Amino acid sequence: MNTENLVAPWVVQSFCAMIFFIGLSGVLVRRNILVILMCVELMLNAVNLSFVAYAHQLQDMGGQMAVFFIIVVAAAESAVGLGLLIAMFRTLKTVDTDEIRLLKE
Amino acid sequence: MLKWIPLLPLIGFTINGFWYALIQCRPGAKKAGATIPGLIATLAIFGAFLISVKTFLELKGMPAEGRFVEQHLFNWIHVGDLDLKMALRVDSLSTLFTLVITGVGTLIHLYSIGYMSHDATPGKFFAYLNLFCFAMLMLVMGSSLPILFLGWEGVGLCSYLLIGYWYEDLEKAKAGKKAFIANRVGDLGFLLGMFMIYTHFGTLEFTKITELLARGDFIAAISPAAITATCLLLFVGCTGKSAQIPLYVWLPDAMAGPTPVSALIHAATMVTSGIYLVSRLNGLFSLSHTAMMTMAVIGGLTAFFAATIAIAQNDIKKVLAYSTVSQLGYMFLACGVGAYTAGVFHVITHAFFKALMFLGAGSVIHGMHEEQDILKMGGLRLKMPVTFVTFLVGWVAICGLPPFSGFFSKDEILWNAFASPHGSKLLWVVGAVTAAMTAFYMTRMFYLTFMGKPRFDESKMGGAHDSHAAHGHDDHAGHGHADHGHAPQGVHESPATMTIPLVVLAILSIVGGFIGIPHMSWLEEWLEPVIPAHDPATFTAGHTTEYLLMGVSTLIAILSIAYAWKTYTNLKEASARKARHAKLHETLEHKWYVDEAYESAVIQPIYEMSVKLWKNVDVAVIDRVVLGFGRVSEWTGQAARTAQTGSIQVYAVMILIGLALSLGYLVRGF
């Protein structure tokens, strides 16, 4: 296998970390629930990428296995999440987290 | 077979109790009346009586040394060295008690069917009665002190239930409470005495204790002070249960219960348990001269004081109650001078004639429509002939005229008080004076009740329904008399279920004394295995003196009766005499102000202390601490609450921080 043409691992991992923290800051900062959900997906995919990169680097298929699981769970999660989101929008007429403080009441 | 003696009343209690609690108690349930529950209860106790008789006959056929029947039921407690068996043991002493309890008990149950016919809840009443008999039978049949204690507490509980049976009336409920509390004080003494016995003897079984008592070397190793303390503690228990000074106050108040209860508790069962305990452990008591002396003196004093109080009472049941206290004092006097046999003898004869008198009084009260004041009776001999004749027998028996049963037992006690090595002339004088007073107040009561002219207005009697309600017969007014076969009005003789027991008890009161005729006493010989007979040589006086004393006491009784009879024939003169000694009479009528003294010396201080404790400790300290805890948690909650914003993002940041901290800990380990 020719390794010279490949991107160095630290570049890949840095990239992953960058995407992860973009997602995280999105979750923390944005007020639109839809966007928050998208940011969560971003974080998940950053982790996926990291897994795949390590799996290649360490020649261990376990990483790829984990990715499959994460994709499946993420699909389910986004289905449920979007469903909840729609239900929430129907009853509360808003998707702004600043206006949704049901936990406090 | 033995186990059925206590079990049958327990079964009767279960049937009546469940029937009452599950079916009759329901609103709108059909009233069962007194007959069926009464019959169930009576049959249960009668069955126990038959088995008791069978056991007695069995014992009679045995040689004196091995005269006992035992039945081991199950292992009760097994802890370390303590191995308690639930076992019943009937020997010559306890068989007499079982016979009296079940025999007199049967008659009282039968009588109650008639007496309780107007009651609202006869099922409950008969259930209690049977439970009472069960407890009492356990008391006398237990093979060890803890089983005796079980019965001891059981009769205490049942006396509370039965005395406060008409608990809607606050006074009666209070009387039940008083009996229970006074008994608890005594029970503490009994319990401590039992602990002492276990400490020194290492066993609680009667047979083993008796064996150890017979071993001189073993006894010599125990300090005499310990033995005296044990005896005195047990005697404290007896003063509670058997109504002696200073704990006798509950018994007169216990008259609040239905009259058959008074007969059962005060004549046949509960109060005699103290005598049973002392006779059972006679070997132990005989070791301590101090304890014996205390017992004799307390017994003598109780006999004397109770008799003085009885002279001035106007309530027919109160007179009988003080008379019971007085007679129990006699029994302890007998035990105190070492004449346990005489004590047991008096228990038996007293059970006959006192049950007879209580039931007779109940019949009078029933016939007079709940009138208990003897000053408002008179001339009942014509209206209630059967009650009159039977009561006459009881009166003669308690006065101690030969050949009625009371004469023999009382004389035996007086003779022992005079001549036994533990006795003294002074005790005899106290006993003899008490005997004179007994004859006096009994004659007074008898005369005022049955002789002379009626002092009540008969035309008002039939309509006096209000007074029934006041006495707790709540449904009495609702039924009307005609339903129960009563004459529509007026004073009447009681129904047959009430008079038959009276007749039987009257016969027993006449012949009961013949089991203990001096010098050919069947009883003494019978009790020989349990209570060693006296050595006649130790007596301080001879036979001539004995017969002389017998004559003296008979003479005293006759003179006293004659004096009382003469006094109360002329009622005007009697009340004038009463007025001359107004102060004395008032003191006696108020029972020497003992209740008042207890009230101010014991009850009030305890009450005040309780109030102080309540205000200064409970409210001021404990409540403050508890409420303080509440306040602290409330405040903490308020403070912590501000962290909960409800915003998802804030939570997410917190999760992030937490995660970062945990990860940091796991990676670096801080």
Side-chain angles (χ1 to χ4, degrees):
Chain A
M1 193 186 289
N2 184 4
T3 53
E4 284 169 22
N5 296 340
L6 296 177
V7 188
W10 69 268
V11 178
V12 179
Q13 294 304 340
S14 305
F15 182 65
C16 290
M18 210 165 67
I19 298 174
F20 183 84
F21 281 103
I22 288 169
L24 183 64
S25 50
V27 168
L28 296 182
V29 174
R30 295 302 294 261
R31 291 289 176 263
N32 191 318
I33 298 178
L34 194 62
V35 178
I36 289 173
L37 273 177
M38 286 158 68
C39 291
V40 170
E41 290 299 315
L42 210 56
M43 286 162 75
L44 284 168
N45 283 314
V47 173
N48 281 349
L49 195 56
S50 173
F51 264 122
V52 175
Y54 275 122
H56 178 75
Q57 186 187 343
L58 303 173
Q59 292 296 304
D60 183 351
M61 295 308 279
Q64 304 215 9
M65 282 288 298
V67 171
F68 277 114
F69 277 108
I70 291 170
I71 288 170
V72 171
V73 174
E77 178 253 301
S78 51
V80 174
L82 286 170
L84 283 172
L85 181 68
I86 291 165
M88 210 149 89
F89 181 69
R90 277 188 186 154
T91 47
L92 302 174
K93 305 288 178 217
T94 177
V95 286
D96 191 335
T97 52
D98 278 345
E99 288 172 36
I100 304 170
R101 299 199 165 210
L102 288 174
L103 276 177
K104 197 179 181 180
E105 272 128 39
Chain B
M1 202 62 189
L2 215 50
K3 68 178 176 202
W4 289 104
I5 298 178
L7 263 186
L8 277 174
L10 187 66
I11 291 170
F13 159 72
T14 318
I15 295 173
N16 268 333
F18 275 106
W19 187 23
Y20 175 76
L22 298 181
I23 297 167
Q24 290 181 60
C25 236
R26 287 209 188 125
K30 197 174 162 286
K31 286 260 166 64
T35 315
I36 300 171
L39 276 180
I40 294 172
T42 311
L43 280 179
I45 187 81
F46 185 63
F49 174 64
L50 290 182
I51 301 169
S52 303
V53 170
K54 188 175 163 286
T55 314
F56 173 72
L57 292 177
E58 244 170 70
L59 288 176
K60 214 166 165 357
M62 292 176 179
E65 307 82 53
R67 200 182 273 158
F68 67 89
V69 191
E70 209 166 18
Q71 187 172 22
H72 174 244
L73 297 180
F74 53 88
N75 287 322
W76 187 18
I77 300 171
H78 187 86
V79 184
D81 293 341
L82 180 69
D83 184 14
L84 272 184
K85 291 183 192 69
M86 184 58 93
L88 301 175
R89 188 171 195 281
V90 170
D91 59 8
S92 49
L93 177 64
S94 33
T95 190
L96 292 176
F97 275 85
T98 52
L99 280 176
V100 170
I101 294 161
T102 54
V104 178
T106 306
L107 295 172
I108 292 170
H109 276 69
L110 186 65
Y111 176 92
S112 305
I113 298 177
Y115 191 82
M116 298 306 278
S117 58
H118 308 317
D119 196 71
T121 54
K124 189 168 76 170
F125 179 78
F126 283 106
Y128 288 166
L129 272 192
N130 264 350
L131 185 66
F132 190 98
C133 291
F134 163 72
M136 191 65 205
L137 286 167
M138 286 306 279
L139 197 159
V140 295
M141 291 174 71
S143 69
S144 62
L145 274 167
I147 302 176
L148 189 151
F149 186 64
L150 206 68
W152 190 272
E153 291 295 302
V155 290
L157 167 73
C158 294
S159 68
Y160 164 75
L161 292 173
L162 285 168
I163 293 165
Y165 177 69
W166 286 320
Y167 57 85
E168 288 95 345
D169 187 339
L170 187 65
E171 280 304 309
K172 293 176 178 174
K174 271 187 182 166
K177 199 171 69 180
K178 189 172 177 184
F180 195 67
I181 292 172
N183 269 306
R184 297 299 311 165
V185 177
D187 292 346
L188 179 68
F190 181 93
L191 207 55
L192 292 176
M194 198 159 84
F195 294 158
M196 291 282 280
I197 287 187
Y198 188 67
T199 315
H200 292 291
F201 289 81
T203 178
L204 290 165
E205 274 176 51
F206 292 128
T207 39
K208 286 186 188 153
I209 294 173
T210 316
E211 268 169 33
L212 288 174
L213 282 170
R215 277 173 47 196
D217 55 326
F218 184 82
I219 295 305
I222 304 175
S223 77
I227 290 180
T228 305
T230 311
C231 294
L232 287 177
L233 283 171
L234 289 174
F235 181 61
V236 168
C238 297
T239 60
K241 205 63 39 174
S242 294
Q244 297 297 296
I245 291 172
L247 294 176
Y248 72 92
V249 288
W250 66 269
L251 196 144
D253 283 34
M255 291 302 131
T259 308
V261 171
S262 311
L264 188 64
I265 296 179
H266 302 148
T269 54
M270 180 170 158
V271 291
T272 59
S273 50
I275 317 290
Y276 173 76
L277 178 70
V278 175
S279 326
R280 174 56 73 199
L281 294 173
N282 65 77
L284 182 69
F285 278 90
S286 296
L287 289 175
S288 166
H289 186 71
T290 322
M292 294 288 275
M293 208 55 217
T294 315
M295 203 148 70
V297 170
I298 295 269
L301 283 179
T302 311
F304 179 78
F305 279 109
T308 58
I309 296 171
I311 290 179
Q313 297 300 311
N314 290 331
D315 183 328
I316 186 167
K317 285 177 79 181
K318 280 274 157 76
V319 177
L320 288 173
Y322 281 105
S323 151
T324 305
V325 176
S326 172
Q327 298 297 313
L328 287 165
Y330 255 116
M331 296 173 205
F332 275 106
L333 174 62
C335 293
V337 297
Y340 306 100
T341 314
V344 173
F345 186 23
H346 202 56
V347 164
I348 295 167
T349 56
H350 177 255
F352 294 152
F353 62 69
K354 192 49 73 63
L356 168 63
M357 294 184 92
F358 266 120
L359 296 184
S363 175
V364 168
I365 295 166
H366 194 74
M368 291 283 291
H369 304 285
E370 314 305 320
E371 181 57 66
Q372 302 198 359
D373 192 341
I374 48 174
L375 296 179
K376 294 180 185 151
M377 294 177 183
L380 288 178
R381 65 185 181 282
L382 300 171
K383 301 275 182 192
M384 314 178 83
V386 180
T387 310
F388 166 66
V389 172
T390 51
F391 207 90
L392 177 84
V393 172
W395 164 60
V396 177
I398 198 173
C399 290
L401 295 186
F404 291 81
S405 60
F407 166 76
F408 293 106
S409 55
K410 187 173 343 195
D411 222 69
E412 186 76 12
I413 291 173
L414 285 178
W415 162 242
N416 277 293
F418 185 84
S420 106
H422 292 280
S424 75
K425 311 282 177 289
L426 197 65
L427 286 173
W428 180 83
V429 171
V430 172
V433 171
T434 308
M437 285 194 293
T438 308
F440 181 84
Y441 66 71
M442 277 300 164
T443 311
R444 169 179 179 268
M445 182 182 82
F446 180 76
Y447 190 89
L448 289 177
T449 310
F450 290 102
M451 310 304 284
K453 289 200 185 71
R455 288 181 300 278
F456 49 88
D457 187 355
E458 204 172 330
S459 58
K460 283 184 188 162
M461 279 281 164
H465 283 307
D466 315 351
S467 64
H468 301 170
H471 280 82
H473 286 193
D474 285 343
D475 68 334
H476 203 154
H479 283 276
H481 275 137
D483 298 357
H484 299 285
H486 277 226
Q489 61 190 2
V491 177
H492 57 84
E493 180 60 279
S494 302
T497 50
M498 290 169 72
T499 49
I500 291 170
L502 289 178
V503 173
V504 176
L505 282 170
I507 294 168
L508 286 171
S509 299
I510 296 170
V511 302
F514 297 135
I515 57 170
I517 298 172
H519 302 298
M520 42 177 137
S521 170
W522 169 84
L523 191 71
E524 204 162 298
E525 187 193 284
W526 174 255
L527 286 176
E528 175 81 58
V530 185
I531 301 169
H534 287 291
D535 183 2
T538 59
F539 275 55
T540 51
H543 289 324
T544 329
T545 330
E546 186 178 355
Y547 293 123
L548 199 67
L549 287 175
M550 217 180 264
V552 169
S553 72
T554 313
L555 197 66
I556 288 175
I558 292 172
L559 285 177
S560 189
I561 290 172
Y563 178 66
W565 194 277
K566 195 169 147 286
T567 309
Y568 288 98
T569 314
N570 187 351
L571 273 179
K572 269 198 197 116
E573 169 62 21
S575 50
R577 189 172 300 166
K578 195 159 89 184
R580 275 204 296 281
H581 305 287
K583 205 159 222 171
L584 178 66
H585 184 263
E586 202 173 305
T587 313
L588 293 180
E589 200 171 9
H590 288 92
K591 310 143 193 169
W592 295 96
Y593 298 101
V594 168
D595 275 336
E596 285 80 356
Y598 279 2
E599 177 74 30
S600 57
V602 182
I603 301 170
Q604 271 304 321
I606 289 179
Y607 180 77
E608 272 157 29
M609 196 179 74
S610 315
V611 170
K612 278 200 184 109
L613 279 177
W614 164 47
K615 289 202 169 135
N616 298 336
V617 178
D618 192 50
V619 174
V621 181
I622 296 175
D623 276 9
R624 213 168 269 179
V625 170
V626 174
L627 292 177
F629 275 117
R631 251 176 236 130
V632 166
S633 40
E634 199 181 326
W635 180 82
T636 322
Q638 284 291 356
R641 177 164 195 260
T642 52
Q644 300 289 322
T645 56
S647 159
I648 302 173
Q649 263 105 9
V650 175
Y651 295 148
V653 171
M654 283 178 182
I655 291 171
L656 185 70
I657 293 169
L659 195 68
L661 287 176
S662 320
L663 276 178
Y665 176 73
L666 288 174
V667 173
R668 294 289 303 276
F670 284 95

